């Protein structure tokens, strides 16, 4: 029997309701818990995120070195351009959208509260059709 059954990525922010709405739309998620200081969502693939109120939070400054990465999230996507448009439309901000060399293409963004995340396109492992 596992001692740990689930994990939740928790981001501190001044306005958890607004940040939860951003990720809820981005991930096609549903809200599962909301209190005065915390909102938790669950994505269609089971990924869970929570947003905790902290009025003194300082967002990371990546790519500037001052407060660089505190943590970041990788999201796997099929179409970088399509998801980028959605991120920007929801209030996110591009940080590093140069295509990385190698087998994985990735681009860096921040959510409306300044937390950084990466959209990563991974090569398909399915056999080619036709």
């Amino acid at each position: 029997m596992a001692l740990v059954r689930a994990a939740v990525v928790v981001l501190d922010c001044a306005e958890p309701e607004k940040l939860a709405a951003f990720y809820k739309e981005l991930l096609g998620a549903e809200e599962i818990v909301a209190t005065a200081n915390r909102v938790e969502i669950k994505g269609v693939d089971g990924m869970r995120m929570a947003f905790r109120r902290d009025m003194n939070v300082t967002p990371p400054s990546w790519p500037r070195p001052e407060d660089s990465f505190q943590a970041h999230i990788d999201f796997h996507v099929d179409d970088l351009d399509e998801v980028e448009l959605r991120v920007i439309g929801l209030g996110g901000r591009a940080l590093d959208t140069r295509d990385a060399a190698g087998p994985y293409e990735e681009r860096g963004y921040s959510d409306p509260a300044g937390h950084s995340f990466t959209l990563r396109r991974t090569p398909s492992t399915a056999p080619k059709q036709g």
Side-chain angles (χ1 to χ4, degrees):
M1 175 192 239
L3 295 178
V4 177
R5 293 190 326 242
V8 178
V9 174
V10 181
L11 299 177
D12 290 346
C13 56
E15 300 176 283
E17 301 82 6
K18 287 185 179 181
L19 196 55
F22 171 84
Y23 283 104
K24 186 176 169 184
E25 286 296 316
L26 181 63
L27 301 174
E30 64 177 312
E31 186 175 296
I32 57 173
V33 176
T35 66
N37 290 310
R38 181 181 166 118
V39 178
E40 189 171 327
I41 64 171
K42 181 178 178 183
V44 294
D45 66 350
M47 179 182 182
R48 294 171 55 167
M49 295 182 72
F51 311 93
R52 185 178 69 109
R53 189 176 316 278
D54 180 348
M55 298 308 292
N56 297 312
V57 70
T58 301
S61 63
W62 186 88
R64 295 182 322 272
E66 299 87 66
D67 291 314
S68 201
F69 275 139
Q70 294 171 3
H72 81 280
I73 306 164
D74 281 351
F75 293 109
H76 293 205
V77 302
D78 292 325
D79 185 326
L80 285 167
D81 295 329
E82 180 181 359
V83 181
E84 177 175 297
L85 289 174
R86 183 163 201 173
V87 167
I88 301 303
L90 291 170
R93 184 171 57 95
L95 298 176
D96 183 8
T97 57
R98 294 170 293 168
D99 288 329
Y104 301 101
E105 297 175 70
E106 58 184 41
R107 299 176 186 172
Y109 301 88
S110 70
D111 65 27
H115 302 100
S116 52
F117 63 91
T118 300
L119 298 179
R120 181 177 239 214
R121 189 181 72 75
T122 56
S124 173
T125 57
K128 292 189 178 187
Q129 301 292 319

